[in-house]
Amino acid sequence: IPLCLYLFSNIHKYYEGLSLKLSFQGVESASCPSISRQHKVVLWVADIDDNLAPAIRYAQTISRDICALKINCEKDDKSSAIQNEWVANWPSISLKMLCSSKKATLMTGLNYLRAVKDECNNVTVVLPQTDASGNLWARLQKARADYFLKRAILWERIPVVSLNCKTTNLEPPLPKDCI
C-alpha cells in the first residue's frame, strides 16, 4: 500500500506540473503573436444552380468577406444574364467574372487566387460540387477535372473546401434579405 501511495502521489505531482506548463498563467499578451482577423473566402462558381445556396451559407460561416469567381470561356450574352441573376439573388456578395480560353481557365483562376492571397493572407476556396449528369464518361471527366482543380489550388498553399451539396444534409436556402 505505501508503494502505491508513493506512485500515485508522484503521478499527481507530474500532472500538476504539466497543467502549470499548459496554462496561460504568467503569460503576457505582448509575448503572444498577433493573429490576423482578416479572412477572405473565394467561392469558385461553375453554374448558378441548387448547389450554390448551401455553399454560400457555408462560406458565410467561415467569413463575412466573400467573393465569387466565375470564369467564362466565351464572352457572350450569357455572362450578362449570369451577372443579373447573381445580383438578384446575392447582392451582398461580389461576383468577379473573368474571361479566358478553355485551355487557360485554370491558370486564369490561379492568377486571381494569387492576387487575392497577396492582398489578404488568409484565403479559403469553396468549391460547390455538382453531380455530372449523363453517362459514365462525362462523370469521370468531371471528377478528374475537379481533382486537378483542387490539387492546383492546394499547390498554391490555399485551403480548399469541396462541398457536395447533394449529399450534405443542409437546411433550405436562406431568404435573400438574410444573405
Side-chain angles (χ1 to χ4, degrees):
I1 293 179
L3 184 62
C4 286
L5 287 175
Y6 176 74
L7 180 70
F8 288 136
S9 67
N10 281 343
I11 291 172
H12 180 69
K13 287 178 188 175
Y14 169 77
Y15 281 112
E16 278 185 342
L18 185 64
S19 69
L20 286 175
K21 288 179 184 177
L22 295 176
S23 70
F24 288 111
Q25 292 177 352
V27 176
E28 296 178 20
S29 62
S31 66
C32 296
S34 63
I35 298 172
S36 173
R37 299 286 183 216
Q38 188 179 11
H39 186 228
K40 187 169 189 100
V41 175
V42 177
L43 186 68
W44 195 300
V45 178
D47 288 319
I48 298 178
D49 57 4
D50 296 340
N51 297 330
L52 203 54
I56 288 174
R57 189 176 319 108
Y58 180 80
Q60 287 173 333
T61 62
I62 298 173
S63 174
R64 293 273 180 213
D65 189 9
I66 303 169
C67 72
L69 174 63
K70 170 81 172 123
I71 300 176
N72 288 338
C73 294
E74 303 165 356
K75 191 163 186 149
D76 54 1
D77 295 334
K78 191 176 180 183
S79 48
S80 63
I82 290 172
Q83 185 80 28
N84 292 337
E85 186 178 358
W86 185 269
V87 170
N89 289 321
W90 300 285
S92 63
I93 299 172
S94 65
L95 176 65
K96 179 74 174 178
M97 294 186 74
L98 301 176
C99 293
S100 171
S101 67
K102 193 155 186 119
K103 291 183 180 181
T105 301
L106 180 62
M107 288 308 299
T108 304
L110 289 178
N111 289 336
Y112 177 76
L113 291 177
R114 283 185 201 114
V116 169
K117 188 176 180 185
D118 289 342
E119 176 186 313
C120 170
N121 203 17
N122 297 328
V123 179
T124 302
V125 178
V126 175
L127 294 172
Q129 298 293 309
T130 57
D131 293 330
S133 58
N135 60 9
L136 177 64
W137 183 249
R139 290 194 306 266
L140 286 174
Q141 284 182 322
K142 172 88 172 90
R144 181 177 173 265
D146 289 344
Y147 173 79
F148 284 115
L149 176 63
K150 285 184 261 186
R151 292 296 162 240
I153 295 170
L154 286 172
W155 183 260
E156 297 292 327
R157 299 196 186 282
I158 299 174
V160 179
V161 177
S162 180
L163 188 65
N164 189 347
C165 300
K166 294 292 185 187
T167 59
T168 308
N169 189 7
L170 297 171
E171 58 264 9
L174 293 173
K176 293 177 194 170
D177 57 343
C178 294
I179 295 178

